[in-house]
Amino acid sequence: MNKKEVIEKCIQLIEQNYYFIGNQRAEWDKDKTRILSEVNNTKTDDEIFEMFNQHIYELKDPHTRFFYKVCPVYIIPESLYFDHGVLWYCQENKYIKVVSVNFVNIEQLLQEYQKKLSGYPSALIEDEIIKDIQLLQCKFKGDHITLECEWGEKVCLYPVLFNQWLENIHSETPNKGLDPIYIDRIDQQTICIRILSFRVHELYEYLKEKIKVYNGEYSTVIFDIRNNIGGYVEETKQIVRGIIKNKVDLGYSISYIKEGNRIQSRCEIAPDTERLFNNKRFFVFVNYRTMSAAEYIFAKALQQDGVCIVGEESAGLKDQAEVFAIDKDLLMQITTKRFLKNGKYLQEKVVPDISINSVATYPKTQDPYIVWYKQFVA
């Protein structure tokens, strides 16, 4: 497809599948006319991508995105982390606080992205900055990135070929990033199950296999879903069914459009007849980076079943989306379902039962959540 056909198909997919709320429909009708007029002024695929994304941002909807399936050519391979608005650069296990990138201070950079990504959770805004830095996109285009660190130290980061970087990662650590679940024993009676993502098929079966090695020799289970950005709703629900004791009503409905009509269904989850855990005590760790299905399905359901939620307010990334293929190289993710509470669109975050201040300081010697557990619970 040529560039105009690509944009026309994207617009068509939004028209047919997007769940508009408030004045989004009226604003979109105006915007799509501008998109079609601007497409003729773009010269490259990258320009099309950037132009269209700018218009998508106007929906103020993090779930709706346009992206390539193809891998980038170059990448900045160094480790950069945002934690509550502070950018850290990791070099040889040493964490350095970054005060500016390409001579733009971090506070100003965050303000620019907050304006561009209005309506996005702060964690996603931070992730978007990291992505643009590592892929040398938007305002970070160039042959290198300059970090100014605390105490005035300057560090230049240079890109490498993506395929070369990927080969090095696989050769050095063949299983890196492949395991979505880690289980650690905290003490004789406690295990901690860290779920990195729910975007994994048959995740419940995988968890059942991993838990067997412990032979039920524990009385407390901590589910750590900090930094978990969600994933497949049905996979998440399946794990919830293996944990909860009672049928839970999540307190909201899911609304979707079918044959032109808006349908609502109550969001309820019933326990499995054969539960994964019996006679165990549970805790769930969450933070401001816990999003989507991790917060609105997993954490919310367990909280409704009486499980103690520990940490920070979650991100508040609501609703559900589907991914549509535009062609062999392009995909579009579109919000197709909305969460409603008392007839209004859900705006809430998951609020913990016990709050923990987890703003990072480096070097990081102890996990404040585990410290809390050992001091006040174990």
Side-chain angles (χ1 to χ4, degrees), residues 82-320:
F82 258 114
D83 195 319
H84 297 83
V86 177
L87 182 61
W88 298 90
Y89 166 55
C90 182
Q91 184 180 48
E92 298 177 353
N93 294 320
K94 177 185 176 184
Y95 288 87
I96 306 169
K97 183 178 177 180
V98 178
V99 297
S100 75
V101 180
N102 285 0
F103 308 102
V104 179
N105 71 59
I106 297 303
E107 186 176 339
Q108 181 183 338
L109 200 57
L110 281 165
Q111 288 174 355
E112 289 177 14
Y113 274 75
Q114 284 163 358
K115 184 176 180 181
K116 181 174 81 169
L117 303 174
S118 174
Y120 281 42
S122 59
L124 282 185
I125 293 172
E126 293 173 350
D127 290 347
E128 195 72 12
I129 295 174
I130 295 291
K131 175 183 73 70
D132 286 349
I133 292 172
Q134 294 197 305
L135 299 183
L136 297 158
Q137 292 179 339
C138 299
K139 68 185 304 165
F140 304 107
K141 289 179 180 176
D143 59 3
H144 71 283
I145 297 292
T146 301
L147 305 180
E148 184 178 356
C149 301
E150 224 172 9
W151 320 122
E153 179 185 0
K154 287 186 174 63
V155 177
C156 289
L157 307 181
Y158 294 90
V160 299
L161 287 169
F162 178 81
N163 288 337
Q164 177 187 329
W165 170 77
L166 205 58
E167 287 175 11
N168 291 341
I169 289 292
H170 287 316
S171 63
E172 292 170 10
T173 50
N175 297 318
K176 183 177 176 67
L178 297 181
D179 199 339
I181 295 175
Y182 292 89
I183 304 178
D184 295 309
R185 185 173 282 282
I186 303 302
D187 56 36
Q188 190 173 1
Q189 295 299 321
T190 309
I191 61 170
C192 180
I193 301 174
R194 186 181 179 200
I195 305 176
L196 303 184
S197 173
F198 291 105
R199 193 174 289 277
V200 179
H201 292 295
E202 299 183 357
L203 188 64
Y204 182 56
E205 298 302 318
Y206 183 67
L207 174 58
K208 285 201 295 187
E209 285 301 311
K210 290 209 72 164
I211 207 74
K212 283 180 181 178
V213 69
Y214 293 90
N215 296 316
E217 296 173 356
Y218 50 87
S219 60
T220 301
V221 180
I222 298 169
F223 292 100
D224 186 349
I225 55 169
R226 288 175 290 176
N227 306 318
N228 185 321
I229 64 172
Y232 302 130
V233 170
E234 289 308 315
E235 295 290 344
T236 311
K237 285 182 177 180
Q238 183 57 52
I239 293 180
V240 168
R241 292 185 191 104
I243 302 170
I244 57 176
K245 301 185 294 293
N246 309 293
K247 183 177 181 179
V248 295
D249 183 335
L250 295 181
Y252 58 82
S253 299
I254 295 178
S255 179
Y256 57 96
I257 300 171
K258 184 177 181 180
E259 297 176 354
N261 299 311
R262 295 195 174 190
I263 311 296
Q264 287 187 36
S265 60
R266 196 74 184 165
C267 194
E268 299 175 330
I269 306 175
D272 273 346
T273 51
E274 295 185 12
R275 294 169 57 227
L276 183 55
F277 303 96
N278 288 300
N279 303 316
K280 308 297 182 187
R281 179 177 59 168
F282 301 110
F283 294 90
V284 178
F285 288 172
V286 301
N287 67 357
Y288 81 113
R289 289 183 166 273
T290 303
M291 303 183 202
S292 197
E295 54 178 333
Y296 279 106
I297 304 295
F298 190 86
K300 188 69 174 176
L302 267 61
Q303 191 174 45
Q304 294 291 85
D305 198 43
V307 173
C308 182
I309 307 296
V310 179
E312 306 171 314
E313 287 189 354
S314 62
L317 179 60
K318 53 196 177 300
D319 306 324
Q320 293 180 27

Side-chain angles (χ1 to χ4, degrees), residues 14-15 18-22 24-25 28 59 262 338 345:
I14 291 176
E15 296 276 307
Y18 189 76
Y19 193 126
F20 292 96
I21 58 174
Q24 280 184 323
R25 177 83 237 193
W28 170 253
L59 291 169
R262 295 195 174 190
R338 300 285 189 180
Y345 296 105

Side-chain angles (χ1 to χ4, degrees), residues 53 333 363:
N53 264 335
Q333 181 173 284

